[in-house]
Amino acid sequence: KAGVTQTPRYLIKTRGQQVTLSCSPISGHRSVSWYQQTPGQGLQFLFEYFSETQRNKGNFPGRFSGRQFSNSRSEMNVSTLELGDSALYLCASSRAQETQYFGPGTRLLVL
Amino acid sequence: EDKVVQSPLSLVVHEGDTVTLNCSYEVTNFRSLLWYKQEKKAPTFLFMLTSSGIEKKSGRLSSILDKKELFSILNITATQTGDSAVYLCAVGSTYNTDKLIFGTGTRLQVFP
């Protein structure tokens, strides 16, 4: 069974630009969660989608948004990038309220 | 505010040693506690614990949960250099969400 896939794996952007990251969950998983990982803050919850609905949101500014499609694939978008947005963005999928499995992440560098 | 605290932050041992990693939590409506291992990229799943006192075991790794004292431990026996990683503890709640609250992790370094 294929694992969680994320694209792109690496991204370099400049301040003020926007970025879209993609996540394809494990087949049959309808829940997708996004996390931001930085050396200083560790893994921080961004948001969670289930059946195309945002079910929960973390404490991030409105520049961070996401969506989920009918095939459970999910995208997250960050607008007006800031230097502090440089991080590893991880996507995790699960059958609802079961073990979450993580993708390889997208490493974003904002210059 | 919900929180998960791991200790120690860092651990350096020699191959063959046994280590114990700690995770304590304060979470509203606890549902489950999960352990992950993170080497370079994605955290990989180790254990999910939901009931107190029941040990989960996988090879040299084992874990147990104490819901009364609100903590869990992860034991690794006969450590190997391949065990070097950051070990993350995460807690989920019973609300209608898959959100996990993570601790900052314990960095384990195993030297030959």
Side-chain angles (χ1 to χ4, degrees):
Chain A
K1 203 177 205 182
V4 179
T5 58
Q6 291 187 245
T7 57
R9 296 292 305 278
Y10 302 93
L11 209 46
I12 300 175
K13 293 284 188 179
T14 56
R15 279 181 299 174
Q17 287 187 308
Q18 76 163 22
V19 67
T20 299
L21 313 182
S22 181
C23 171
S24 292
I26 293 171
S27 177
H29 287 190
R30 294 167 63 192
S31 174
V32 173
S33 298
W34 289 89
Y35 296 84
Q36 181 196 65
Q37 187 174 33
T38 58
Q41 298 294 318
L43 267 148
Q44 303 278 309
F45 173 77
L46 279 158
F47 27 64
E48 170 200 358
Y49 288 88
F50 182 80
S51 293
E52 301 178 66
T53 300
Q54 186 179 88
R55 197 157 62 170
N56 207 341
K57 190 176 193 308
N59 294 326
F60 280 83
R63 300 185 296 107
F64 291 81
S65 63
R67 58 179 176 167
Q68 186 180 33
F69 301 95
S70 58
N71 61 358
S72 294
R73 190 177 70 83
S74 176
E75 288 182 347
M76 67 163 280
N77 185 77
V78 188
S79 61
T80 320
L81 284 166
E82 300 177 0
L83 296 179
D85 297 333
S86 295
L88 179 66
Y89 290 88
L90 290 162
C91 165
S93 79
S94 71
R95 301 181 193 279
Q97 300 207 321
E98 294 187 4
T99 302
Q100 287 191 37
Y101 294 94
F102 283 84
T106 294
R107 187 164 293 282
L108 172 65
L109 177 62
V110 182
L111 301 175
Chain B
E1 184 183 338
D2 295 340
K3 64 178 179 180
V4 177
V5 178
Q6 292 186 246
S7 65
L9 289 180
S10 182
L11 203 47
V12 179
V13 300
H14 289 287
E15 272 191 319
D17 289 350
T18 293
V19 298
T20 298
L21 310 184
N22 304 295
C23 175
S24 63
Y25 62 90
E26 290 178 31
V27 173
T28 306
N29 293 322
F30 171 89
R31 168 171 55 86
S32 59
L33 185 145
L34 295 89
W35 285 97
Y36 289 89
K37 176 184 181 183
Q38 187 174 29
E39 293 176 83
K40 291 195 187 303
K41 289 285 193 302
T44 54
F45 171 74
L46 295 174
F47 298 111
M48 183 167 76
L49 304 156
T50 56
S51 302
S52 268
I54 300 174
E55 185 183 51
K56 293 242 177 152
K57 205 167 163 59
S58 176
R60 297 175 294 102
L61 278 66
S62 64
S63 183
I64 197 161
L65 173 67
D66 186 327
K67 289 168 74 172
K68 184 179 175 189
E69 300 296 330
L70 307 183
F71 79 91
S72 174
I73 60 172
L74 175 67
N75 279 321
I76 308 175
T77 59
T79 52
Q80 302 172 355
T81 54
D83 295 327
S84 296
V86 174
Y87 290 84
L88 296 164
C89 173
V91 175
S93 76
T94 54
Y95 291 135
N96 188 26
T97 176
D98 281 334
K99 171 185 175 182
L100 292 176
I101 301 157
F102 279 85
T104 51
T106 293
R107 181 174 295 278
L108 174 64
Q109 292 177 279
V110 181
F111 287 97

